[in-house]
Amino acid sequence: MDMNQYTGMFLEESREHLQNMNRCLLDLENDPANLSVLDEIFRSAHTIKGMSATMGFTSIAELTHEMENVLDLLRKAELKADHHIVDILFKCVDTLEQLVESVASQTDPSSISTKSLVQQLTGLVKHGESAPALSTQSGPDMLVYPVAESGKPSSNLILNDTEAKVIRSANHSGIRAFEVTVALREGCLLKSARAYMVMRALEELGDVIKSVPSTEDLEKENFELSFALLLVSDAEPEKIEQAVNSVSEIEKVTVFSYILPEKDTPANTVAANSVVEPVQSEKTEKAVHNNAVDHKMKGGQSVRVDIEKLDNLLNLVGELVINKTRLEQIGLTHKLTDLVETIEQMDRVTTDLQAVVMKVRMVPVGQVFNRFPRMVRDLSHELGKEVNLIIQGEETELDRTVIDEIGDPLVHLLRNAIDHGVENPAIRRAKGKNPTGEVRLIARHEGNNVIIMVEDDGQGINPDIVKQKAVEKGLISPAEAEKMDAGEAVRLVFLPGFSTAAAVTDISGRGVGMDAVKTKIESLGGMVDVETKLNEGSRFKIRLPLTLAIIQALLISVCDEIYAIPLGSIDSTINITPHDIKTVQNQEVILLRGQIIPIVRLTKALNIPSAGQQEQEELFVVIVHMGDHRAGIIVDTLIGQQEIVIKSLGKLLAGIKVVAGATILGNGQVALILDVGSLMQ
């Protein structure tokens, strides 16, 4: 069978589980006695093992199998989750990530060795081998509980001492054991995949402690169409049945309460009388089948969609918006009342369609944030610092395209915060601070933008040192440095080649990080700023648009050419006379509500031959902002507000600073979208 068609699903799910394992291992390191975290790590490892075995990726399956053995001992408290063991498990996750990515890149995984890790894991298991193992018992001391009574499941579940103890222990805690028999549909494809999906669904509700046939046989599809599982759970039987029925291609599922006999009862005589009590004996098979169908209809309410398909859908919606604008213009030009009314109806539908498409593309920013706790942990260990990373607002949603791009800038900011911001514990104690530094990663919505902040409570940035370094590197002149206030001086860190680090390390010091951050954020239509206080810390604030595809813009014209200015950057539009323009330090400015606003002449910025703006008695000015800074752009005429679809200019025209892209107007004309940030520089 061609398994390639399932590779995408395997990669997506494996990455999610590996990220989950990273997060849970961090929790386990902080709270080694937390059994629920251990169970979650075990479930992720087990799922990856099942998937990789089905897909034929044996290296991944073998490594996760050895991890399961160690995790099992941790769950039974036969090993303690100390830093040594957690480090080994982290290394296993790192190696699994490499193996998964080798599958994605179709490179040879044999170059990634798992031998050393497998030996370390095996050594850990042997270290605790004095205790009875749970999953591999088979010998004369086994207790046999045959389950073959007529009308009851005939799975012949065989329990060993340890498994029986687990059930008794669970019963003492008020948790029941269930035998779950599952029958797959005739002709079911990927039986092992269905079996592992059933296992995964049940492990969300409790612990699967036994399967017939064995897990290995299920993974290798060495079974007909049915299998049985022994589940320890506090869930109700109906919920267990519902969980199994949420998996597709399930023909029938039956859930029985599993009751162990008393210890001194001979095993071979008690089983038939008391082992299994059917929970749903009153239900007819037809009713069960109908319920199963009903559950199947309710289950699976989400689907995975390739991002490329969503991009294509968004492009089609963009074309629809362009053509709608075109029809609007035709209707207005030729005064076709019926067409205009129809377009108004169509406008409502296209607006709703656009909103739905944009909503579908939104994903929580937590998808990016979740990988940072591990990075901060490793980095703080490497630097000998104690850092507590606090993440807030990870549920904030952003367009998928933006999400894919902001990872690297945030890595730079976090690495800088830990390397340059947070001090060593000894220095922090000497300053009267908590020896454990604090780094906050915060996301929130603010209007049509998303704000992401990286804060630290470290030593802050000294503006005098920044100015001195900038002068030494020839980035600014001493005279310019003299005129700068503290805020302007600190923003010099965004200049290319700037670094205050005395030495270049693997972590920072090359002076490319902050420049790369600023360039990337601005390429996404956002902006980044910094605030700092000496010995109190720094805050880097990133402002990003919610989407990069369809925006509201103000159309203006200069010398008969039409341009678009994103509405999110506009404060207001005003009319002035040439006499209102003053000159301060060779910069044209106007006074607006007591604030001095610098003037930008588009003809000069775009190098267009002047159309005689100075001679006009009335000038139109668009007041734009970027963060706390404002500027006035002088234009010939204000055309009006319009929804525009942002189109890339392509590689040939890439790098033009004052142009952020282009759009197609209703009459088919191409209009350039102005980059407000570049115009204000």
Side-chain angles (χ1 to χ4, degrees):
M1 181 182 294
D2 181 16
M3 304 296 285
N4 291 331
Q5 57 184 316
Y6 302 106
T7 305
M9 187 171 72
F10 166 77
L11 292 173
E12 284 284 328
E13 294 205 10
S14 296
R15 286 166 180 155
E16 284 178 12
H17 283 290
L18 288 170
Q19 190 162 316
N20 188 46
M21 288 168 74
N22 258 325
R23 180 179 58 78
C24 290
L25 281 172
L26 286 168
D27 292 341
L28 181 67
E29 192 173 36
N30 295 325
D31 184 8
N34 192 333
L35 284 177
S36 63
V37 171
L38 264 175
D39 287 341
E40 200 166 341
I41 300 170
F42 192 94
R43 280 195 288 272
S44 289
H46 187 72
T47 304
I48 293 175
K49 174 184 159 186
M51 289 191 302
S52 54
T54 304
M55 299 291 292
F57 304 129
T58 52
S59 299
I60 301 176
E62 286 171 5
L63 185 55
T64 45
H65 178 74
E66 296 300 332
M67 285 179 73
E68 276 186 354
N69 290 340
V70 173
L71 291 166
D72 197 31
L73 293 178
L74 290 171
R75 288 201 301 185
K76 292 187 292 186
E78 293 174 17
L79 281 178
K80 187 182 176 185
D82 56 20
H83 286 295
H84 173 63
I85 292 180
V86 172
D87 275 342
I88 292 175
L89 292 174
F90 268 129
K91 288 175 185 171
C92 290
V93 173
D94 290 344
T95 306
L96 287 172
E97 282 177 343
Q98 292 175 26
L99 289 167
V100 168
E101 292 311 315
S102 75
V103 173
S105 60
Q106 297 183 340
T107 54
D108 183 11
S110 61
S111 60
I112 304 167
S113 174
T114 59
K115 188 176 177 182
S116 170
L117 282 172
V118 169
Q119 284 176 347
Q120 291 182 64
L121 293 169
T122 308
L124 288 173
V125 173
K126 284 181 179 175
H127 179 70
E129 66 186 0
S130 57
L134 176 65
S135 59
T136 57
Q137 285 285 332
S138 61
D141 59 338
M142 287 192 302
L143 296 176
V144 181
Y145 300 108
V147 187
E149 193 177 7
S150 175
K152 296 177 181 177
S154 55
S155 56
N156 278 330
L157 281 173
I158 298 172
L159 304 188
N160 58 36
D161 259 344
T162 309
E163 290 160 346
K165 284 178 185 173
V166 170
I167 292 180
R168 287 195 181 95
S169 173
N171 289 339
H172 283 308
S173 305
I175 300 172
R176 291 186 289 173
F178 298 94
E179 181 183 350
V180 183
T181 57
V182 182
L184 302 176
R185 285 183 186 169
E186 192 73 37
C188 170
L189 299 175
L190 286 178
K191 290 188 295 181
S192 61
R194 300 302 166 205
Y196 106 75
M197 289 172 77
V198 168
M199 295 268 274
R200 189 177 62 171
L202 291 178
E203 283 172 343
E204 294 289 329
L205 302 174
D207 290 328
V208 176
I209 63 172
K210 187 82 179 177
S211 70
V212 174
S214 68
T215 309
E216 287 74 17
D217 286 338
L218 288 175
E219 288 168 358
K220 294 175 182 173
E221 294 198 354
N222 291 337
F223 66 104
E224 295 298 327
L225 287 174
S226 64
F227 55 93
L229 304 167
L230 192 55
L231 173 73
V232 176
S233 170
D234 58 358
E236 293 300 318
E238 290 78 9
K239 192 171 182 182
I240 296 171
E241 183 190 346
Q242 185 179 350
V244 177
N245 273 319
S246 67
V247 178
S248 58
E249 296 196 83
I250 300 296
E251 179 66 31
K252 182 181 176 183
V253 56
T254 316
V255 181
F256 289 87
S257 183
Y258 195 97
I259 301 173
L260 280 176
E262 294 299 324
K263 261 185 167 182
D264 53 353
T265 305
N268 290 339
T269 60
V270 297
N273 294 327
S274 59
V275 170
V276 177
E277 285 189 351
V279 173
Q280 299 172 4
S281 58
E282 301 297 323
K283 294 185 178 179
T284 64
E285 188 170 326
K286 185 177 178 182
V288 171
H289 177 71
N290 289 340
N291 280 339
V293 172
D294 187 43
H295 289 316
K296 282 192 183 72
M297 292 175 68
K298 290 177 182 174
Q301 291 179 340
S302 63
V303 292
R304 289 176 184 272
V305 180
D306 193 324
I307 188 67
E308 192 176 331
K309 292 178 181 173
L310 290 180
D311 286 342
N312 290 337
L313 182 59
L314 185 63
N315 284 336
L316 290 174
V317 173
E319 294 299 322
L320 193 61
V321 170
I322 291 170
N323 285 296
K324 180 198 71 180
T325 310
R326 171 72 176 146
L327 286 173
E328 276 176 352
Q329 188 151 351
I330 291 172
L332 292 172
T333 304
H334 299 282
K335 298 181 180 175
L336 304 172
T337 311
D338 290 344
L339 179 60
V340 171
E341 289 176 358
T342 307
I343 298 275
E344 286 174 358
Q345 296 288 333
M346 182 182 164
D347 184 51
R348 195 178 69 251
V349 177
T350 53
T351 303
D352 289 347
L353 178 61
Q354 179 191 331
V356 170
V357 173
M358 300 310 296
K359 183 69 180 169
V360 167
R361 291 174 56 87
M362 292 289 179
V363 291
V365 76
Q367 287 193 10
V368 179
F369 285 8
N370 287 341
R371 65 175 167 163
F372 294 135
R374 169 73 192 282
M375 185 195 82
V376 171
R377 178 241 185 215
D378 292 348
L379 196 56
S380 55
H381 284 190
E382 186 180 340
L383 295 169
K385 297 181 178 180
E386 296 172 14
V387 179
N388 182 26
L389 176 66
I390 298 172
I391 294 178
Q392 296 174 338
E394 61 263 48
E395 71 284 353
T396 307
E397 290 187 329
L398 256 176
D399 188 281
R400 174 61 190 258
T401 309
V402 183
I403 289 280
D404 289 343
E405 299 291 332
I406 60 170
D408 288 343
L410 291 178
V411 167
H412 279 299
L413 293 177
L414 286 169
R415 289 169 76 92
N416 274 349
I418 297 167
D419 192 18
H420 298 308
V422 177
E423 309 95 329
N424 288 317
I427 298 175
R428 292 181 65 86
R429 283 193 196 92
K431 290 181 177 178
K433 291 182 174 181
N434 187 327
T436 301
E438 201 168 86
V439 175
R440 290 177 179 270
L441 184 57
I442 304 166
R444 67 166 188 267
H445 283 293
E446 197 173 284
N448 286 327
N449 295 286
V450 166
I451 305 295
I452 299 177
M453 291 188 290
V454 177
E455 300 178 351
D456 67 74
D457 64 348
Q459 58 190 349
I461 303 172
N462 189 328
D464 295 332
I465 295 179
V466 172
K467 282 196 279 190
Q468 183 187 337
K469 286 282 182 184
V471 172
E472 286 175 9
K473 290 177 179 290
L475 300 172
I476 58 171
S477 67
E480 289 173 322
E482 191 68 28
K483 293 176 187 172
M484 284 183 173
D485 60 25
E488 291 171 329
V490 170
R491 291 189 190 94
L492 291 173
V493 299
F494 293 113
L495 289 177
F498 182 86
S499 175
T500 57
V504 175
T505 66
D506 288 342
I507 298 165
S508 59
R510 296 188 184 279
V512 294
M514 299 310 295
D515 173 42
V517 168
K518 185 168 182 282
T519 305
K520 174 59 78 175
I521 297 300
E522 288 181 350
S523 73
L524 295 172
M527 58 162 292
V528 58
D529 202 2
V530 56
E531 300 169 9
T532 185
K533 284 187 179 177
L534 274 179
N535 291 321
E536 291 186 21
S538 304
R539 172 192 291 162
F540 286 86
K541 186 175 180 182
I542 296 172
R543 181 185 295 272
L544 289 165
L546 278 177
T547 178
L548 305 176
I550 302 173
I551 61 169
Q552 290 285 337
L554 176 68
L555 298 184
I556 55 99
S557 74
V558 176
C559 300
D560 297 329
E561 287 290 334
I562 297 177
Y563 298 90
I565 304 175
L567 214 57
S569 302
I570 297 176
D571 271 0
S572 59
T573 58
I574 59 172
N575 299 348
I576 63 171
T577 64
H579 301 293
D580 293 325
I581 299 176
K582 311 295 181 189
T583 302
V584 177
Q585 296 180 344
N586 295 323
Q587 167 69 54
E588 288 187 318
V589 299
I590 58 172
L591 191 63
L592 179 65
R593 292 187 282 274
Q595 187 180 0
I596 296 173
I597 307 287
I599 287 294
V600 176
R601 292 184 183 271
L602 269 187
T603 49
K604 186 178 177 183
L606 298 172
N607 200 20
I608 305 173
S610 173
Q613 286 178 346
Q614 292 289 357
E615 285 76 28
Q616 292 178 355
E617 293 183 359
E618 187 179 41
L619 299 175
F620 297 105
V621 180
V622 181
I623 305 297
V624 295
H625 69 267
M626 185 59 67
D628 297 331
H629 301 281
R630 284 177 170 71
I633 301 175
I634 295 181
V635 302
D636 288 354
T637 52
L638 302 172
I639 298 173
Q641 180 182 332
Q642 186 173 308
E643 198 170 51
I644 62 168
V645 181
I646 300 176
K647 299 286 186 183
S648 168
L649 286 173
K651 292 179 181 176
L652 190 63
L653 298 176
I656 301 177
K657 283 262 179 183
V658 294
V659 178
T663 189
I664 302 172
L665 302 177
N667 58 4
Q669 183 181 348
V670 173
L672 296 176
I673 303 168
L674 298 178
D675 183 351
V676 172
S678 298
L679 283 171
M680 291 175 66
Q681 287 178 353

